[in-house]
Amino acid sequence: MLTKYNLKMPREIFSGEDALENLKTILLANGVKKAAVFTDKGIQSAGLLDFPMDRIRAAGVESVILDDLPPEPTYSQVQALADAYTASGADFIIAVGGGSVMDTAKLSSILSTGEYTMQDLLDTPSLGRKHVKTLMIPTTAGTGAEATPNAIVAVPEKELKVGIVNGQMVADYVILDAVMIKKLPRKIAAATGVDALCHAIECWTSNKSNPFSDLFAMEALDLILNHIEPACDDSEAMDAKNKMQIASFLAGVAIAASGTTAVHALSYPLGGKYHIAHGVSNAILLVPVMKFNEPVCREKFAQAYDRCVHGAHTCETAEKKSAYMIQWMEEIVKHLEIPASLKEFGVPTEDLEDLVKSGMEVTRLLANNMREVTPDDARSIYWQIL
Ligand SMILES: NC(=O)c1ccc[n+]([C@@H]2O[C@H](COP(=O)([O-])OP(=O)(O)OC[C@H]3O[C@@H](n4cnc5c(N)ncnc54)[C@H](O)[C@@H]3O)[C@@H](O)[C@H]2O)c1
Ligand SMILES: [Zn+2]
């Protein structure tokens, strides 16, 4: 348990019905002359960009769209977008997208002076200084990137994804409007929703958990466990979608105050080497890691049961409550039809040792896991999902 706590979060958050209407007010209050809108082609073709663009035009603010961005970009792709931002002469950053877009926008906000590069930030994240205000409009629910001081980039040379953490990247404004996730394809909604579930349960069971992170992690966990299925299954379930959007934001705040654990640590090489989507690799690892953690996290899981089960409480012992929680998570992953193993991603069993080596290098997150993860433990967890 930490004895010193720190809670960072965006300055102003707008949520609920017609939350996007606040965009004009934000731009006018900041005297914005030209807004740089970071997004990607998927968002554009889903017709989602019109919502914010209409409001930007209504505010009489000039804009430039920066959309040359693949999902889960490399650090060089982020550098190219940051350079395009600097050249654009814009004085405000708006991100309209999932974690990939938001992370790129956040990194661009601290790269805009050109005094250092992405490569420098990978070596020394604390170099970053923010020079422009940022507004995050998430379209997945989600990474929680709208709330965190983190940005994750792929480093192809190392076949790894690397997290850059710098408090200056925390957004100034966030708009959570469920209209942005209304038509999110089920497959993406499922993977990104389980990512948020991982953030909540990992932060709750993290060595870094503390009174601030617990507050956010537990509320997020309750909302996600009880609303993720309708939010993904039913395009009209706006209440459930709104709750997922709030929950993924809250889970992001929990990350900022605490930290994720072995699910995210062991997931990084799966994204870096095999390009498995972040939410999918976390979903594959969630249950094996929770089962591994169970002996030391039993009380924590039992407390989560007491808080998140709203029907009759049929489990009486901590052991039964803990088993119930793990089974609940397993059923969610199954219901959402997310692959349960790496088979369909063509990961050969011969790669096991490389995976163990790369996973064990993510010491920043492994250190947060309440049960120590040895190379033998990592090997056994990866073996279960191969
Ligand atoms: N910064 C953080 O704290 C943090 C936390 C977790 C994950 N991440 C990172 O975020 C990235 C993943 O982000 P993501 O899971 O949100 O996905 P994403 O941003 O990579 O988007 C995935 C795909 O979904 C499409 N898409 C997004 N929203 C849509 C919508 N509403 N309708 C239709 N299509 C839509 C995009 O166009 C893209 O093709 C990874 O790089 C991951 O490492 C960051
Ligand atoms: Zn995540």
Side-chain angles (χ1 to χ4, degrees):
M1 259 287 203
L2 281 180
T3 50
K4 290 180 184 172
Y5 317 127
N6 174 255
L7 179 65
K8 291 187 187 71
M9 55 192 296
R11 196 153 65 86
E12 206 165 354
I13 302 114
F14 300 90
S15 174
E17 214 169 306
D18 296 330
L20 269 169
E21 294 309 329
N22 296 288
L23 178 45
K24 185 175 165 188
T25 321
I26 295 169
L27 294 175
L28 295 179
N30 285 283
V32 177
K33 294 193 172 58
K34 186 173 185 182
V37 182
F38 285 70
T39 192
D40 66 27
K41 302 281 193 303
I43 307 297
Q44 297 238 44
S45 59
L48 286 169
L49 206 55
D50 295 343
F51 292 110
M53 291 310 292
D54 287 349
R55 272 102 186 152
I56 295 169
R57 276 189 284 272
V61 169
E62 236 190 289
S63 62
V64 55
I65 294 173
L66 303 173
D67 64 356
D68 194 8
L69 190 69
E72 316 217 1
T74 65
Y75 72 94
S76 331
Q77 287 164 330
V78 170
Q79 181 71 57
L81 262 256
D83 292 344
Y85 164 74
T86 307
S88 75
D91 57 357
F92 193 81
I93 285 180
I94 302 176
V96 183
S100 301
V101 169
M102 290 191 283
D103 282 358
T104 303
K106 283 157 62 178
L107 284 164
S108 297
S109 77
I110 61 169
L111 279 164
S112 54
T113 61
E115 290 161 36
Y116 43 83
T117 63
M118 265 307 297
Q119 181 75 63
D120 298 327
L121 278 185
L122 280 172
D123 296 334
T124 320
S126 58
L127 278 178
R129 288 280 168 274
K130 192 191 229 175
H131 290 88
V132 53
K133 284 192 180 160
T134 54
L135 158 65
M136 302 288 126
I137 306 178
T139 63
T140 58
T143 62
E146 68 275 18
T148 68
N150 309 3
I152 301 169
V153 290
V155 180
E157 305 87 285
K158 290 191 182 163
E159 295 188 319
L160 247 185
K161 295 196 73 184
V162 174
I164 296 170
V165 185
N166 180 322
Q168 303 256 329
M169 279 195 284
V170 175
D172 296 279
Y173 299 95
V174 176
I175 295 182
L176 305 173
D177 194 321
V179 78
M180 301 306 281
I181 59 165
K182 186 172 190 298
K183 293 187 185 144
L184 187 63
R186 184 173 189 266
K187 214 171 156 184
I188 303 175
T192 53
V194 175
D195 185 28
L197 169 57
C198 294
H199 297 161
I201 192 73
E202 287 179 75
C203 288
W204 172 246
T205 55
S206 171
N207 277 330
K208 279 192 182 163
S209 86
N210 62 73
F212 293 131
S213 63
D214 286 352
L215 179 71
F216 290 94
M218 200 28 66
E219 177 66 12
L221 187 64
D222 185 3
L223 287 171
I224 296 166
L225 288 171
N226 289 294
H227 298 284
I228 189 170
E229 291 182 5
C232 292
D233 294 348
D234 179 0
S235 63
E236 297 304 319
M238 293 311 282
D239 183 54
K241 288 179 197 295
N242 185 36
K243 290 197 162 99
M244 279 302 294
Q245 221 175 19
I246 291 170
S248 48
F249 170 80
L250 298 177
V253 179
I255 294 181
S258 169
T260 53
T261 60
V263 176
H264 271 68
L266 299 181
S267 169
Y268 273 23
L270 301 177
K273 193 167 160 80
Y274 309 103
H275 309 292
I276 303 173
H278 177 78
V280 173
S281 56
N282 286 333
I284 293 173
L285 281 159
L286 173 63
V287 173
V289 171
M290 290 302 134
K291 285 184 175 163
F292 170 78
N293 283 348
E294 200 277 338
V296 293
C297 295
R298 188 169 296 165
E299 275 307 319
K300 282 274 189 173
F301 289 143
Q303 287 167 15
Y305 172 96
D306 290 336
R307 167 69 186 270
C308 301
V309 174
H310 297 298
H313 282 200
T314 51
C315 300
E316 277 163 12
T317 62
E319 199 178 349
K320 286 199 172 130
K321 290 177 182 181
S322 172
Y324 182 103
M325 290 306 290
I326 293 176
Q327 197 185 337
W328 195 358
M329 290 188 261
E330 197 162 16
E331 280 165 9
I332 285 174
V333 175
K334 207 180 222 174
H335 173 93
L336 296 174
E337 298 166 297
I338 305 174
S341 85
L342 298 175
K343 288 202 175 52
E344 67 182 74
F345 299 99
V347 179
T349 45
E350 304 86 77
D351 284 9
L352 179 62
E353 286 312 311
D354 286 347
L355 277 174
V356 173
K357 188 169 170 292
S358 303
M360 290 307 295
E361 278 171 17
V362 192
T363 49
R364 178 176 73 89
L365 302 182
L366 285 176
N368 298 343
N369 206 63
M370 277 173 73
R371 180 170 174 189
E372 191 197 345
V373 182
T374 65
D376 278 346
D377 298 327
R379 188 174 296 109
S380 142
I381 291 169
Y382 281 130
W383 183 248
Q384 287 172 53
I385 60 169
L386 269 172

